[in-house]
Amino acid sequence: LKAGFSTVPAHPLFDLCDELLQVYNEFEVQLISLTASFFTYYGDELDRHKTTQGVCFFDDLVNDLASALDSPRGEALVQAVQSDFKACLIDEFQDTDARQWKIFHSFFGSKKHSRYLIGDPKQAIYRFRGADIYSYFEAKSTAQHNLTLKENYRSHPYLIEEVNELFGEHEEPFLFNREQMDYRPVNAAK
């Protein structure tokens, strides 16, 4: 109530506003329910459509392979892959998620196999394509050798100089300890 008023003013407009608010609140609840139902329906229909059409998305490949590794025949799958392939090279490793890392490590984590991972952890921070910085850290901890490029062939020398200055001044420029991820200055190739 405003100062000086002892009662709420009565007017048909106020009653209509109360009704409109009630309709809006009910509509909001129904919309949330409808949205949840739609996503369930969409997921089921997408799976059905992919099955009937023989379509497989990238995530399906990853999920199916991860499930196969967890199945009773998972060890046989690992042995079959390991007998055919002795090494793997994974470029853009910073885009790897936890399931993909588990797959790569299962197949090529033994001492009899070689695994070459090429990636930039600073890019994994952004979670592009589901990337997981912690999977990157785990992979790095299993590496026998960690090599770093010392020259940048893509960027202008002034940009490289400024980036080196910006990140080189901080003890932990990416909020992780230096053992996990530090910044190493690079030189311009040009």
Side-chain angles (χ1 to χ4, degrees):
L1 294 175
K2 288 191 170 188
F5 289 99
S6 58
T7 61
V8 176
H11 191 276
L13 176 65
F14 298 138
D15 295 336
L16 288 173
C17 287
D18 283 342
E19 285 181 41
L20 182 60
L21 179 61
Q22 289 174 0
V23 167
Y24 173 79
N25 288 337
E26 182 60 28
F27 174 76
E28 186 175 39
V29 168
Q30 293 300 322
L31 184 61
I32 291 169
S33 175
L34 181 63
T35 302
S37 296
F38 168 76
F39 283 119
T40 300
Y41 171 80
Y42 176 80
D44 293 344
E45 284 299 301
L46 181 61
D47 288 343
R48 186 187 64 73
H49 178 75
K50 288 189 300 188
T51 300
T52 59
Q53 298 297 313
V55 174
C56 188
F57 295 168
F58 177 77
D59 284 344
D60 298 324
L61 295 172
V62 172
N63 293 335
D64 291 349
L65 187 52
S67 294
L69 285 171
D70 289 337
S71 75
R73 298 196 41 147
E75 187 55 39
L77 175 60
V78 169
Q79 290 175 4
V81 169
Q82 288 179 346
S83 69
D84 286 345
F85 302 99
K86 301 300 177 202
C88 75
L89 173 88
I90 304 167
D91 195 9
E92 302 294 338
F93 184 76
Q94 73 271 359
D95 297 338
T96 300
D97 64 25
R99 295 195 96 184
Q100 293 167 348
W101 166 241
K102 178 183 175 187
I103 292 166
F104 300 143
H105 187 67
S106 296
F107 290 145
F108 301 101
S110 73
K111 300 239 187 251
K112 296 183 280 184
H113 294 82
S114 297
R115 180 176 59 208
Y116 301 92
L117 311 177
I118 302 165
D120 182 353
K122 295 180 292 301
Q123 293 180 39
I125 293 171
Y126 305 115
R127 300 194 54 79
F128 182 62
R129 287 186 238 154
D132 176 31
I133 189 65
Y134 299 102
S135 293
Y136 188 98
F137 292 155
E138 185 178 333
K140 183 180 175 185
S141 74
T142 68
Q144 293 177 351
H145 305 285
N146 287 297
L147 306 174
T148 300
L149 295 175
K150 294 180 168 70
E151 290 186 313
N152 181 321
Y153 289 84
R154 292 181 166 178
S155 302
H156 192 280
Y158 293 153
L159 177 62
I160 293 170
E161 183 181 326
E162 293 302 318
V163 170
N164 283 339
E165 188 172 325
L166 175 67
F167 291 108
E169 291 181 0
H170 300 282
E171 182 66 28
E172 293 178 348
F174 305 106
L175 305 180
F176 294 102
N177 69 51
R178 280 202 174 281
E179 290 77 41
Q180 289 177 305
M181 184 167 54
D182 63 346
Y183 182 78
R184 296 180 187 173
V186 296
N187 298 314
K190 298 177 185 177

